[in-house]
Amino acid sequence: MKLIKTIVAAALLTLGMQTAAAQECCKKKNAVIESILTRTSIRKWQPQTVEAGKIDTLLRAGMAAPTAVNKQPWHFVAVTDKNIIKQLGGGDMFAQAPLAIVVCGNMEKALQGPGHDFWIQDVSAATENILLAAHALGLGAVWTGVWPRQERAQNVASVIGSPEYIIPLSVILIGYPAEQPAPKQKFSLENVSYNSYGNR
């Protein structure tokens, strides 16, 4: 009888631990969804600098993005020098931001042939990962487009001193938010089909 009670107790304990783990997992998943749904573009920042540890986390998040054939055709230039950030673009945003991450495509690592332009998808995914990580860390960020505007790409490349095979796709401006805009509601059933286009 004691053995049976011990087995039952152990089973209940295991079940309880599994339930707790599942609940914790669910909370984490919900936190990810919450971060995605509440992220919004921030264009005004406090003068506070972004800590080196958080910059490292942002870069790790960028490099965790999906990438075609695992080519990882990206390069990241983290810019903390405000004079250099100002040269990356115009207006108050670039003058205010305490951190910029220039997300680039590395053509020496890109696929060759018909899949060459997959680098754009890979580097875009890395850009979005950084935006979401910034929001999760209590930072605010905005994606500013570079590629395919040739004059903008050339300017950014000149400022960061990159070689021809490194193509800037985006500049993400990041810092501690000085504004709290409400996230835009973008979901619309008009943009959804099931099984075939137009089937709702």
Side-chain angles (χ1 to χ4, degrees):
M1 183 63 79
K2 279 187 178 180
L3 179 59
I4 293 172
K5 286 183 178 178
T6 302
I7 292 171
V8 170
L12 290 172
L13 179 61
T14 301
L15 180 61
M17 290 171 64
Q18 289 175 345
T19 303
Q23 289 174 342
E24 186 61 29
C25 179
C26 188
K27 284 180 186 175
K28 288 179 182 177
K29 287 182 181 177
N30 288 342
V32 172
I33 297 299
E34 184 70 13
S35 188
I36 292 170
L37 295 179
T38 59
R39 189 212 65 81
T40 189
S41 295
I42 299 296
R43 297 176 174 83
K44 293 180 182 178
W45 300 274
Q46 301 173 34
Q48 180 181 350
T49 58
V50 178
E51 300 88 340
K54 289 191 175 182
I55 296 174
D56 180 72
T57 299
L58 295 172
L59 296 171
R60 289 175 183 275
M63 291 184 222
T67 164
V69 198
N70 197 31
K71 283 292 188 177
Q72 303 175 37
W74 44 51
H75 190 89
F76 304 83
V77 180
V79 183
T80 55
D81 185 318
K82 295 203 75 168
N83 289 324
I84 297 176
I85 295 173
K86 287 178 188 177
Q87 296 174 55
L88 292 172
D92 291 342
M93 287 196 311
F94 287 86
Q96 279 187 22
L99 170 65
I101 296 179
V102 184
V103 189
C104 308
N106 183 338
M107 296 306 100
E108 290 192 339
K109 295 181 178 179
L111 283 166
Q112 300 304 309
H116 178 264
D117 285 346
F118 282 152
W119 76 266
I120 297 170
Q121 297 180 37
D122 296 348
V123 179
S124 294
T127 300
E128 179 67 4
N129 269 19
I130 292 172
L131 291 173
L132 292 171
H135 181 55
L137 291 171
L139 301 167
V142 63
W143 177 335
T144 67
V146 178
W147 184 261
R149 288 181 55 189
Q150 296 288 335
E151 74 286 354
R152 181 137 165 70
Q154 288 169 4
N155 175 68
V156 173
S158 174
V159 171
I160 63 174
S162 59
E164 285 188 8
Y165 61 86
I166 298 293
I167 300 177
L169 179 97
S170 63
V171 175
I172 309 172
L173 301 175
I174 306 166
Y176 285 92
E179 60 175 356
Q180 296 294 334
K184 296 180 178 70
Q185 171 52 259
K186 299 178 183 177
F187 181 78
S188 171
L189 287 173
E190 291 181 2
N191 298 326
V192 180
S193 298
Y194 291 92
N195 298 316
S196 62
Y197 180 80
N199 184 22
R200 295 183 170 82

